[in-house]
Amino acid sequence: MKKYILPLYLIASLIMFVACDHIADDERLIHVPMQPAKRVVLLEDFTGQQCVNCPKGSEVIEQLQEAYPDNVIAVGIHGGPLGFKGNSVNIGLATDLGDTYYNHWELEYQPVGLINRHGAVNYTDWTKGVKEELEKESPLEMELTATLQEHQVHVIVKETALRAGISGNVQVWLLEDDITALQKMPDGSVNKTYVHNHVLRAAINGTWGEECAPSEGETLTQDYQQTIDDTWNTSNLSVVAFVYNDSGVLQAIKTTIEKQ
């Protein structure tokens, strides 16, 4: 019986080889979808130095960022009817850019927020809105680096699509923290030593960003430069980037600026 073992083994191997050789090309590889990315929520806080309730909105943001330190990005957009552009005595943080955004979204009061751009939300409902967004999956992964050389910030943004059909705009903003400037308070007083954080200073790649439509698995890269105003404290600057479309913000990312 032993003399038949080897031939039978060879015959079985040959059958397996022939069977494998006839697998169609489109059946050899199985497409495995990329896993969704961890969601980061963008909260656009439309605020103003003449807004008595805006400090309450800032308190909500502080609580959210304490609870979700890596998942909530806040941007303070100064403008609108309660914004203050400054005078010879006091620093103003409102900008024409802030007014543009306020008017574009047809906002009617302050403070009011956009949570991943799903419509205006009163500050009393920000916590609920952020929690709902954190439960969603993101179809994008993003990378962001920012370096400072003299008076120029060099920004590199990367977006990787985790599924097909991703399209929108990539937006890049420059923020500043720890700005001491006046603020009207809930009791009606004026606090001239109030500290403002995550204040929008500039739209690095234009008011509405630029088109971004990576194919599934593809990584797109953008390279930007931003001149720093002499009144900005470079030690307190950061950069935020996000991708959005008509359905809202798909993903966001923030980084500090490395000095070289």
Side-chain angles (χ1 to χ4, degrees), residues 3-257:
K3 64 180 180 180
Y4 294 106
I5 294 177
L6 182 58
L8 289 173
Y9 173 80
L10 291 175
I11 291 171
S13 299
L14 180 61
I15 292 172
M16 292 178 63
F17 175 79
V18 172
C20 291
D21 192 53
H22 283 82
I23 294 176
D25 290 340
D26 60 355
E27 296 177 350
R28 291 180 183 274
L29 298 177
I30 299 175
H31 174 70
V32 179
M34 301 178 73
Q35 293 299 308
K38 188 176 184 181
R39 172 71 69 172
V40 177
V41 176
L42 178 69
L43 171 52
E44 296 168 78
D45 170 23
F46 287 86
T47 187
Q49 290 169 267
Q50 301 182 89
C51 167
V52 295
N53 285 321
C54 285
K56 294 182 179 179
S58 297
E59 290 177 2
V60 174
I61 289 174
E62 290 176 4
Q63 293 168 3
L64 284 168
Q65 291 186 323
E66 183 176 346
Y68 311 105
D70 300 320
N71 298 88
V72 177
I73 296 173
V75 179
I77 302 177
H78 286 255
L82 299 179
F84 177 61
K85 293 188 176 180
N87 53 36
S88 59
V89 178
N90 296 300
I91 296 173
L93 302 177
T95 62
D96 292 341
L97 179 65
D99 288 338
T100 297
Y101 291 139
Y102 185 90
N103 294 328
H104 172 80
W105 298 113
E106 299 180 346
L107 303 175
E108 299 179 349
Y109 61 93
Q110 293 163 277
V112 64
L114 298 180
I115 300 173
N116 276 350
R117 295 196 167 173
H118 293 310
V121 181
N122 190 280
Y123 76 92
T124 56
D125 295 321
W126 287 355
T127 299
K128 176 184 177 183
V130 166
K131 287 181 178 179
E132 290 176 351
E133 284 300 299
L134 286 173
E135 294 176 356
K136 300 178 182 179
E137 297 177 339
S138 175
L140 281 173
E141 285 186 347
M142 297 185 69
E143 297 179 45
L144 177 64
T145 60
T147 55
L148 178 66
Q149 298 177 339
E150 297 181 354
H151 286 290
Q152 291 281 332
V153 174
H154 179 206
V155 179
I156 298 177
V157 190
K158 296 182 180 181
E159 312 89 36
T160 301
L162 304 181
R163 61 174 173 80
I166 301 299
S167 64
N169 279 27
V170 56
Q171 178 78 72
V172 185
W173 284 342
L174 183 72
L175 312 185
E176 183 177 357
D177 286 320
D178 296 326
I179 303 172
T180 301
L182 69 81
Q183 174 65 53
K184 285 190 176 180
M185 304 301 290
D187 63 1
S189 64
V190 175
N191 183 350
K192 292 188 176 182
T193 59
Y194 187 87
V195 177
H196 299 264
N197 289 310
H198 42 260
V199 175
L200 176 61
R201 284 303 201 182
I204 293 177
N205 63 339
T207 303
W208 303 108
E210 64 177 342
E211 292 184 2
C212 168
S215 303
E216 183 176 5
E218 179 185 13
T219 299
L220 299 182
T221 302
Q222 296 85 29
D223 194 310
Y224 304 111
Q225 299 281 346
Q226 172 68 44
T227 301
I228 301 302
D229 189 283
D230 290 337
T231 62
W232 301 343
N233 186 338
T234 57
S235 298
N236 298 333
L237 296 178
S238 59
V239 175
V240 167
F242 59 97
V243 175
Y244 72 97
N245 57 25
D246 291 341
S247 66
V249 174
L250 304 180
Q251 186 63 294
I253 190 171
K254 181 178 181 179
T255 188
T256 56
I257 298 176

